[in-house]
Amino acid sequence: MHSAYIIDTTYFLPEILIDNEKINAEHPEWSVDKISAKTGIEKRYYAAENQTSGDLAYIAAEQFFHKGSIEKSEVDFLILCTQSPDYFLPTTACILQDRLGLSKKTGAFDFNLGCSGFVYGLGIAKGLISSGQAKNVLLITAETYSKFINPNDKKNKTIFGDAAAVTLISSQPATGAGKIMNFSYATDGSGAKHLMVKNGGLRNIQKGDGKDVYIGEEFYSNDDYLFMDGKEIFDFTVFNVPGLVNDCISKNEISPEDVALYIFHQANQFMLERARRMSKIPAEKFYIYIKDSGNTVSSTIPIALHHAMENNVIRKGNKVLLCGFGVGLSMGATLIEY
């Protein structure tokens, strides 16, 4: 059995800035201060009209290779986590293999998962490496949720942003690498309806027939666009994450005191703080990076991890617990030893 290590990360944010001032201009009833207070987010970025998740992934990957952590010829597996692929088929990862100039011996596939996707991707990458199927796995997370958001949906507009992140997982350790340890997973598919784009897939293939539904003067839903029941997602998170965190700690045979840092999916600041308190995590051990990028779905954890590493928040000998949760409803957690 081979060990698997996180070697390096990078990420890319597209160019269209959606700051709180812009949202306030479109929805005057929501002040800049109110948006910041409710979400902890000041900026989020949108892909251009003709820019796809595959495009963001490509740019992020080219930036990653420019860093020199690995040569393209050394990558033997490419995994893309996205819920906004370029096509139903073929898989966007296969297109990326060609665009990036990776070897034709490279394995490549997409998987559809949201806010827990990075943790699941690490699990897949570790499995490929541990079983000897791959030595160097490029895990890319990329979403363009902005294309799913109704123009009248100010709540989701304040939260979500687009991004792509790249993480190299390898069988060979390097300076500053983090060893991927054991995982905990959980799923409650009965809550799938609480975070969904109902139309556009094969169950409801029509698109363009959705009607705006309002409760009073407040936009509620349109089946052609992203729907999120904030209360249900909040309850799922704060009541289930603590148990998952404890299970992950137990599976790794450590105590909570041994964890130097916790990095959760960066949903919004209010939810994060409640999940932290319910999990009994000290504030000084809880890393938040959401203000300048927003909720970028499967890319929030690698973006936060990247900044924690860049700012020397994570040091040699630290144990870092990662936890993702959300659409599915799905959860995953793992421990990284540096």
Side-chain angles (χ1 to χ4, degrees):
M1 296 289 288
H2 303 277
S3 296
Y5 302 86
I6 295 177
I7 303 300
D8 201 2
T9 60
T10 195
Y11 69 94
F12 172 74
L13 301 175
E15 294 181 0
I16 300 175
L17 170 64
I18 308 295
D19 56 19
N20 292 349
E21 287 78 8
K22 181 174 177 59
I23 295 175
N24 171 244
E26 295 173 350
H27 305 279
E29 69 277 16
W30 276 38
S31 69
V32 170
D33 290 341
K34 181 178 180 180
I35 297 168
S36 296
K38 288 179 70 69
T39 66
I41 301 166
E42 295 181 4
K43 300 175 184 176
R44 66 291 285 157
Y45 293 84
Y46 282 6
E49 183 178 355
N50 62 346
Q51 196 172 37
T52 67
S53 296
D55 293 330
L56 302 189
Y58 171 77
I59 296 169
E62 287 289 9
Q63 289 182 351
F64 183 85
F65 287 121
H66 185 71
K67 293 175 68 176
S69 297
I70 192 172
E71 296 296 326
K72 290 183 178 182
S73 60
E74 297 177 291
V75 174
D76 48 17
F77 222 103
L78 170 63
I79 305 172
L80 174 65
C81 175
T82 186
Q83 297 189 305
S84 50
D86 289 13
Y87 306 98
F88 275 148
L89 57 93
T91 175
T92 306
C94 288
I95 297 170
L96 282 170
Q97 172 273 327
D98 181 60
R99 289 183 71 182
L100 291 168
L102 303 183
S103 167
K104 291 183 180 179
K105 294 183 179 180
T106 302
F109 68 89
D110 296 355
F111 71 100
N112 180 325
L113 204 59
C115 310
S116 61
F118 180 70
V119 173
Y120 276 68
L122 291 179
I124 295 168
K126 180 181 178 181
L128 289 168
I129 289 171
S130 296
S131 60
Q133 297 182 71
K135 293 181 179 179
N136 295 303
V137 179
L138 204 65
L139 170 61
I140 306 179
T141 55
E143 292 293 357
T144 49
Y145 261 39
S146 65
K147 300 180 188 298
F148 296 151
I149 297 176
N150 188 289
N152 297 316
D153 188 355
K154 64 185 179 185
K155 291 183 179 179
N156 283 329
K157 195 183 294 184
T158 63
I159 295 171
F160 292 103
D162 299 336
V166 178
T167 304
L168 174 63
I169 301 99
S170 178
S171 61
Q172 297 297 317
T175 302
K179 185 178 181 181
I180 304 172
M181 305 302 288
N182 296 324
F183 288 79
S184 293
Y185 301 105
T187 307
D188 182 5
S190 68
K193 62 186 177 182
H194 300 314
L195 187 45
M196 174 181 282
V197 179
K198 191 171 184 179
N199 290 348
L202 298 184
R203 178 69 63 184
N204 297 292
I205 200 166
Q206 77 280 359
K207 193 134 174 137
D209 296 332
K211 302 293 189 296
D212 287 358
V213 177
Y214 285 80
I215 296 179
E217 296 183 355
E218 191 85 4
F219 175 84
Y220 180 70
S221 69
N222 180 318
D223 288 346
D224 285 343
Y225 294 90
L226 179 70
F227 169 76
M228 181 170 67
D229 187 326
K231 182 181 183 305
E232 291 288 347
I233 300 300
F234 180 86
D235 288 347
F236 167 75
T237 299
V238 300
F239 292 119
N240 288 282
V241 162
L244 186 77
V245 168
N246 288 335
D247 186 66
C248 184
I249 288 171
S250 176
K251 283 184 176 179
N252 284 284
E253 300 180 343
I254 61 172
S255 69
E257 292 73 26
D258 295 325
V259 180
L261 196 70
Y262 295 80
I263 301 179
F264 283 11
H265 162 57
Q266 306 290 292
N268 66 68
Q269 185 134 1
F270 181 72
M271 184 184 291
L272 284 168
E273 284 295 340
R274 182 63 66 88
R276 178 188 69 78
R277 292 196 296 270
M278 292 287 285
S279 302
K280 299 180 180 178
I281 298 170
E284 63 272 16
K285 287 188 172 185
F286 197 70
Y287 193 76
I288 295 178
Y289 186 87
I290 192 173
K291 182 179 71 172
D292 294 327
S293 54
N295 181 339
T296 55
V297 198
S298 54
S299 291
T300 68
I301 295 177
I303 289 174
L305 182 63
H306 177 85
H307 280 273
M309 290 295 294
E310 289 283 298
N311 292 296
N312 296 315
V313 177
I314 298 172
R315 297 179 174 85
K316 184 178 180 180
N318 283 172
K319 295 178 174 65
V320 179
L321 193 145
L322 310 179
C323 181
F325 45 83
V327 61
L329 300 171
S330 170
M331 296 192 300
T334 189
L335 191 76
I336 312 297
E337 287 190 355
Y338 285 88

